[in-house]
Amino acid sequence: MKHRLWILPAVALGGGFGANALADDTSLSYGQLERLLNSAEDYGFNRYEKLDADHDDNRFEIEGWRADGWELDVSMTLNDGALTRESQRKSIAPDWGLTREELDAALSQARAGGMQHFAELEVDSNGHVEIEGYNAQRAQFELDLHREALNSEHLDNGSDNG
């Protein structure tokens, strides 16, 4: 019976450490994210639909378009941005995809709201942007935006509040 009393607290403590480990294993720092986005830009991305960090598979997945209209779905390694998989198909880049400037503005808003580590971003054809990550306390962070709120006119109006 004594063994069970010792096992329960150990299991409870392990659950707490598991939540912190989950935040570490599924998210990127802003420095890591910036480096991977620069690699994506070098690859030709100019509009973005989805970004997804997956530490279990050591990959960063990016979906979006090049300027010539080709739709891209690329996976890179998290540690060095090396290309591990790519898929391309002729398409027309939609207006609702995020430009790099809009993507940076969305990430800046998430950071200003308390996100310390990035996990995922996705934009839909209606311009709805969802960002997921973790705050400094390793609690899950979610931010919902609309693409229209990311244009320079809206950002200039809010930049003096800082």
Side-chain angles (χ1 to χ4, degrees):
M1 198 65 155
K2 288 182 181 178
H3 293 288
R4 287 190 184 175
L5 294 175
W6 288 105
I7 291 172
L8 290 175
V11 169
L13 284 173
F17 291 127
N20 286 339
L22 176 65
D24 290 335
D25 288 345
T26 61
S27 62
L28 296 173
S29 70
Y30 277 94
Q32 291 170 303
L33 179 58
E34 182 68 23
R35 182 176 39 78
L36 291 167
L37 288 175
N38 288 339
S39 293
E41 225 170 44
D42 291 344
Y43 188 71
F45 280 90
N46 79 334
R47 293 226 174 238
Y48 300 84
E49 178 182 6
K50 183 176 182 179
L51 308 175
D52 186 17
D54 183 348
H55 278 268
D56 290 338
D57 293 333
N58 188 36
R59 71 175 172 79
F60 184 64
E61 186 173 335
I62 306 167
E63 296 176 21
W65 295 267
R66 287 193 319 226
D68 62 6
W70 282 83
E71 186 175 356
L72 305 172
D73 183 352
V74 170
S75 290
M76 303 175 183
T77 58
L78 289 173
N79 52 344
D80 63 3
L83 189 66
T84 59
R85 181 187 56 80
E86 71 173 295
S87 172
Q88 301 183 32
R89 72 181 179 100
K90 187 67 176 163
S91 182
I92 297 172
D95 290 340
W96 53 265
L98 297 178
T99 64
R100 177 65 190 262
E101 293 78 21
E102 292 167 331
L103 178 62
D104 288 343
L107 293 170
S108 290
Q109 286 189 30
R111 189 174 199 174
M115 187 172 81
Q116 297 292 312
H117 293 274
F118 173 85
E120 185 175 354
L121 177 144
E122 191 165 359
V123 61
D124 66 20
S125 60
N126 294 321
H128 180 248
V129 181
E130 293 181 15
I131 304 172
E132 296 179 10
Y134 297 90
N135 66 18
Q137 294 76 34
R138 300 291 189 203
Q140 190 169 12
F141 175 94
E142 293 182 11
L143 179 64
D144 292 327
L145 304 167
H146 197 278
R147 186 174 167 264
E148 290 176 2
L150 302 174
N151 70 40
S152 60
E153 184 177 302
H154 284 93
L155 294 175
D156 289 342
N157 290 337
S159 64
D160 294 331
N161 297 335

